[in-house]
Amino acid sequence: MQESKNSINYNNLFIYFLAFTSGFSIMCIELLAGRILAPFFGSSVHIWGSIITVFMLSLALGYLFGGKLSTRSASLTRYGAIFIIAGLTLLPIVTSSTWLMESIFLAIEDSRYGSLLASTALFFIPTIILGMLSPYSVRLLVRNSNESGQVAGKLYFVSTLGSAIGTIITSFYLVLWFDIDTIVVSISLLLSLLGFITIVVAKANENLFKSKAQRDISHA
């Protein structure tokens, strides 16, 4: 019984760490968005208005979709798959941003609407996927309805803390040490790696549960 409790605690700590990482990644990408759009659209307040609007809308949809998905047999395996998908959807930012922004810049004269369209094209989908992680994390952590509020509070604290640290580290250090493509690819690889590890952990937990069940049956 004690082993089971310890295993659950370790799983919870792992999920909190993943939520921290998702918050870190979201703010890292959002800050880089300004640097990515700047060569074509500038860095004025309406450019940042476009970026923030796209990120807020996509996160709102991500929370909605993540909450709905979490009601359908939530599992660590699916949770890990979301991380992998999030990592993969970041790659077009590296491979397609230049020609995409150039096309939008030439087609739309007003930088306000050009930056809004470019932000949507580059960041809307990956941010939706990243937004799905927080409500899914809550679902995995909640064991009964009485603790749901406390768990959600802790989870959003950890996720927001990750966002704050991601903001500081990205703006103070990463953009000085590395080019934008390197940072985006690193975040993509990190998310994908964590997703793969999560799936491995889920499979290990399943095997442990099956082996315990078999031992209990044999002892009975």
Side-chain angles (χ1 to χ4, degrees), residues 7 11 75-78 198-214:
S7 176
N11 283 338
S75 68
L76 271 180
T77 301
R78 290 186 180 182
T198 302
I199 293 173
V200 171
V201 169
K203 297 300 181 183
N205 286 344
E206 289 177 7
N207 292 334
L208 180 62
F209 178 79
K210 288 179 181 178
S211 63
K212 286 184 177 179
Q214 290 174 351

Side-chain angles (χ1 to χ4, degrees), residues 37 41 46-47 50 104 110-120:
L37 267 62
F41 303 102
H46 62 258
I47 305 301
S50 297
I104 294 173
D110 193 325
S111 63
R112 295 175 299 176
Y113 303 110
S115 64
L116 183 61
L117 180 58
S119 298
T120 302

Side-chain angles (χ1 to χ4, degrees), residues 12-208:
N12 287 355
L13 288 175
F14 182 55
I15 292 171
Y16 280 121
F17 170 73
L18 293 173
F20 176 92
T21 305
S22 70
F24 182 102
S25 301
I26 289 169
M27 285 310 303
C28 179
I29 298 300
E30 185 170 356
L31 282 174
L32 293 178
R35 298 286 293 270
I36 293 171
L37 267 62
F40 291 90
F41 303 102
S43 56
S44 60
V45 65
H46 62 258
I47 305 301
W48 278 106
S50 297
I51 293 170
I52 293 171
T53 297
V54 169
F55 271 79
M56 291 297 99
L57 287 176
S58 53
L59 283 174
L61 289 174
Y63 297 151
L64 181 64
F65 296 154
K68 287 185 177 180
L69 183 63
S70 69
T71 63
R72 302 175 182 176
S73 302
S75 68
L76 271 180
T77 301
R78 290 186 180 182
Y79 189 53
I82 297 174
F83 269 88
I84 293 174
I85 294 170
L88 294 177
T89 56
L90 290 176
L91 292 178
I93 297 174
V94 176
T95 60
S96 306
S97 62
T98 300
W99 69 262
L100 182 62
M101 287 189 295
E102 184 176 352
S103 300
I104 294 173
F105 177 76
L106 294 174
I108 302 177
E109 294 184 3
D110 193 325
S111 63
R112 295 175 299 176
Y113 303 110
S115 64
L116 183 61
L117 180 58
S119 298
T120 302
L122 289 173
F123 307 111
F124 192 67
I125 297 301
T127 311
I128 286 178
I129 306 301
L130 286 168
M132 293 172 64
L133 292 169
S134 289
Y136 208 97
S137 301
V138 173
R139 177 64 183 84
L140 290 175
L141 290 167
V142 170
R143 299 298 173 184
N144 61 73
S145 58
N146 292 330
E147 65 178 10
S148 59
Q150 183 179 11
V151 168
K154 288 181 180 178
L155 191 283
Y156 284 105
F157 166 79
V158 169
S159 178
T160 305
L161 180 63
S163 296
I165 294 176
T167 301
I168 288 292
I169 291 179
T170 302
S171 59
F172 282 23
Y173 304 107
L174 295 184
V175 294
L176 301 178
W177 295 343
F178 308 103
D179 61 61
I180 293 173
D181 287 352
T182 300
I183 300 172
V184 174
V185 170
S186 298
I187 294 295
S188 173
L189 291 175
L190 174 63
L191 291 171
S192 300
L193 177 61
L194 288 175
F196 177 76
I197 292 173
T198 302
I199 293 173
V200 171
V201 169
K203 297 300 181 183
N205 286 344
E206 289 177 7
N207 292 334
L208 180 62

